[in-house]
Every structure is written in structure tokens, then in C-alpha cells.
Amino acid sequence: MHPLLRFTLDLFEPFEAPAQVNTAPIAPKRVAKRHSPIAVPDPVAGVVTGATPVERGPFEPGQPIAQAIQAVHYSHPQASREVKLDGAVVRYAFARGKRRTIGFSVGPDGLAVRAPRWTPLYEVDAALQEKAEWIMRKLRETRERTTRQQEAQIEWAQGAEFPYLGAPVRIALDSAHAFTAKGAALDAQADDAGVRILRVALPQTATAAQIRDAVQAWLMREAKALFLQRLEHFAPQLQVQWKKLSLSNAGTRWGSAKSDGSIRLNWRLIHFRLPVIDYVVAHELSHLRVMDHSPRFWDTVRTVVPDYAELRHSLKDPAIPKW
């Protein structure tokens, strides 16, 4: 049959799927390349400040799969060098200084490396490869932590949610509510989704700052009342006497104690579940017996909070709002 006639007939003949062929023994080694780069979500949960999303493509004909799919990127905003570690491209901030060894640090911005002035770059590269496992683990942990912190930020508006004693609470603006408490009142029962409603005495037109201040005032009142209760609960068990309670708003410190019996507790502890709060209260009261973190101190804490180590770790939860 003439080739042109055969082509014309093919256009009108019904399509039939080809018979299945077992191609398992033959693995394709190359893929075609697409010419328009497409950004895709990072397979590692979250993105830290200064990190760039993963990009796939473009592809080139005959390019091996391992090269066609670009590596995960971590990029420091002040990056001056880059290295490939465990398949990931890491752009890092590099500096030289008066030091004897090569130092690494991983923070929210990414990886920073410092080296002695006389150290050749190939030694820096070798040190990075040697520490690759540690560096990549810290970068992933930091990225995940930053993502959870970003997700925990509250948009102060009708329907916003925040944690209270380890459970979700939703804001409902209700200026017409007959409040028995000052400023806000929490529903006794949770809804079908397990969320309790905090009714705030503000109109629907309230600003984000007004809502935030009203909720914070309510949380601080709740925190103080609960802390007083827990201090009275644990003090007799530890055979100590506390004299004064103050609320703190420290960024990272959850509590402190002085030898004169003064106790300071961070009001943001009210976001945690009660066992975590109890650990912090018992911790500070234990300092009234042992003013250090010696084994004797931890033995004292253990007498009233046996699982203190697990609860202590919970305080690092990045999902707690920063305010």
C-alpha cells in the first residue's frame, strides 16, 4: 500500500490499545526534558526563612533521571558558597575569623560556616561532607519547626483558634452576650469537633489588636488562677513555702524562683495541657529546696512529677503561639 494512503487510513481507523508488555526487566535510563520550569512543593515539610522551594525541570532529552529532578534547596539569605550534601543543594553563609577549627551552625536562616583564615576551601568542603548527616538533620528539623511556628500564628478575627490547656478554642465575637466574667466567657461544652467557644465582648467590627488584647487579658486571668491552684497543690508535697506569684512574658523562659520564695511563671503556659504546667510549677517550687540543677534537684522534682523528662520536652513544641 502506498505510504500516504496508509497514513490517511490511520486517521480514520478506530484506536485499539496495544497488548500489555512486561517491561519490568528493562528500566528506562533517560527521560525527555520539559522546557518550562515548574515550582513544586518541597517534599520536606515547611519552608524556613531564606529557603527556596524545590523546582523540577527543565528536562533535557537523554538526561538521566537523577539529574533531571533537581535536589532540595536550602539557602541562607547571606549565602556566598554552596555544597551538595546527601543529594540536597545547600547554599551557606561562609566567613573566616580568628579561630582554630571549622565551625558549623544551623538556625532559622540556614547553615553558617566559619573557618580559620588559613584553612583552604577544599578542607572546608571535606569538613562539610563529614558533617553532612548532622547538617541535613538540623536543616530539616529547623525547616519543620519554622513551618509549625508559622502555622501557629493567629490571625485575630472572628473564628480564629488558639490552644488553651492543650485543646483548641475558637473566638466568637459577641457584644450582646450577658457576660458574667469580665470581657470574655468560655462555653462549658465543646462542639462536635471538640472545640470550645470563647465568647468575647466585642462587636464584629473590632480590630485585630482589640481582639488580641481581649483574649490575652482573659488568658492571663485564667493563667494566674490556675497557677495559684497548682502552687497550693504542690507546695505541701515538696514541703516548701512560696511567698509571691508574678506572671512573666519572657520569650523563652517558662519560669523562675528566688530564695525569698518569689515565683515567676510565664502566662503563655496556659496554652499547654495541665501535666506540662504542673511540671513547670513543680520545677520552680523544687528550686526553693535546691537552688541549682544538680541530680538532687531532679530527684526532688521526680518525687511529685515522675515523668518530668517527657513533659519538659513538650515545652519545646513550636506550635505554641509566640504572641
Side-chain angles (χ1 to χ4, degrees):
M1 182 180 292
H2 194 280
L4 180 59
L5 179 59
R6 175 70 263 171
F7 173 76
T8 305
L9 291 175
D10 286 344
L11 294 178
F12 296 96
E13 289 178 353
F15 173 79
E16 294 183 2
Q20 294 184 356
V21 178
N22 182 11
T23 60
I26 303 176
K29 295 183 178 180
R30 301 180 182 277
V31 297
K33 179 168 183 175
R34 293 168 55 181
H35 292 284
S36 55
I38 301 176
V40 299
D42 193 332
V44 180
V47 177
V48 298
T49 304
T52 58
V54 179
E55 292 185 355
R56 179 177 297 158
F59 302 112
E60 294 179 354
Q63 185 180 13
I65 292 177
Q67 297 177 12
I69 302 176
Q70 294 184 4
V72 177
H73 285 184
Y74 295 90
S75 183
H76 194 289
Q78 298 176 346
S80 55
R81 301 195 77 226
E82 76 173 40
V83 64
K84 195 167 185 178
L85 302 176
D86 290 344
V89 176
V90 180
R91 299 187 179 99
Y92 61 93
F94 179 69
R96 295 185 182 275
K98 294 181 179 179
R99 54 182 300 126
R100 296 182 178 180
T101 60
I102 301 171
F104 311 93
S105 63
V106 176
D109 285 337
L111 173 64
V113 181
R114 291 182 60 84
R117 292 194 177 100
W118 59 83
T119 302
L121 291 177
Y122 72 84
E123 289 189 11
V124 175
D125 292 338
L128 284 165
Q129 295 298 332
E130 183 180 351
K131 293 289 186 181
E133 182 180 353
W134 179 87
I135 292 171
M136 293 309 302
R137 184 176 73 252
K138 290 299 182 181
L139 285 172
R140 286 191 294 268
E141 290 174 353
T142 302
R143 174 172 284 185
E144 292 167 1
R145 185 182 306 112
T146 303
T147 299
R148 293 190 65 189
Q149 288 174 344
Q150 291 172 346
E151 292 173 348
Q153 295 305 306
I154 303 169
E155 295 185 6
W156 297 103
Q158 170 80 358
E161 293 186 8
F162 60 89
Y164 169 71
L165 294 179
V169 167
R170 182 179 299 125
I171 297 171
L173 303 180
D174 189 357
S175 59
H177 191 283
F179 288 95
T180 56
K182 182 180 179 181
L186 184 66
D187 286 359
Q189 301 296 326
D191 62 16
D192 294 339
V195 180
R196 296 175 72 182
I197 303 300
L198 178 67
R199 303 190 182 279
V200 182
L202 288 173
Q204 298 291 329
T205 56
T207 65
Q210 290 174 322
I211 298 171
R212 180 184 186 275
D213 290 347
V215 173
Q216 180 176 341
W218 178 80
L219 285 171
M220 292 180 73
R221 290 194 298 271
E222 292 291 305
K224 187 172 184 179
L226 180 63
F227 296 165
L228 288 170
Q229 179 189 40
R230 304 320 288 167
L231 285 168
E232 291 297 332
H233 173 77
F234 284 109
Q237 298 181 46
L238 290 166
Q239 299 179 2
V240 296
Q241 287 187 338
W242 60 278
K243 302 295 184 182
K244 178 183 177 183
L245 169 66
S246 301
L247 297 183
S248 94
N249 193 29
T252 57
R253 194 170 187 177
W254 294 112
S256 63
K258 293 183 178 180
S259 57
D260 64 359
S262 299
I263 301 290
R264 287 178 63 85
L265 295 172
N266 195 316
W267 69 267
R268 292 187 299 114
L269 284 167
I270 199 67
H271 291 306
F272 291 95
R273 54 196 176 94
L274 184 58
V276 179
I277 298 173
D278 280 349
Y279 156 68
V280 178
V281 171
H283 181 115
E284 302 310 332
L285 286 173
S286 295
H287 275 311
L288 301 184
R289 292 183 57 181
V290 185
M291 294 299 292
D292 56 35
H293 289 106
S294 63
R296 190 165 72 93
F297 167 79
W298 293 113
D299 288 342
T300 303
V301 176
R302 187 180 292 109
T303 60
V304 291
V305 184
D307 55 344
Y308 75 86
E310 177 185 350
L311 297 170
R312 182 186 183 194
H313 183 73
S314 299
L315 291 170
K316 298 179 181 180
D317 184 359
I320 298 301
K322 289 295 185 182
W323 289 83

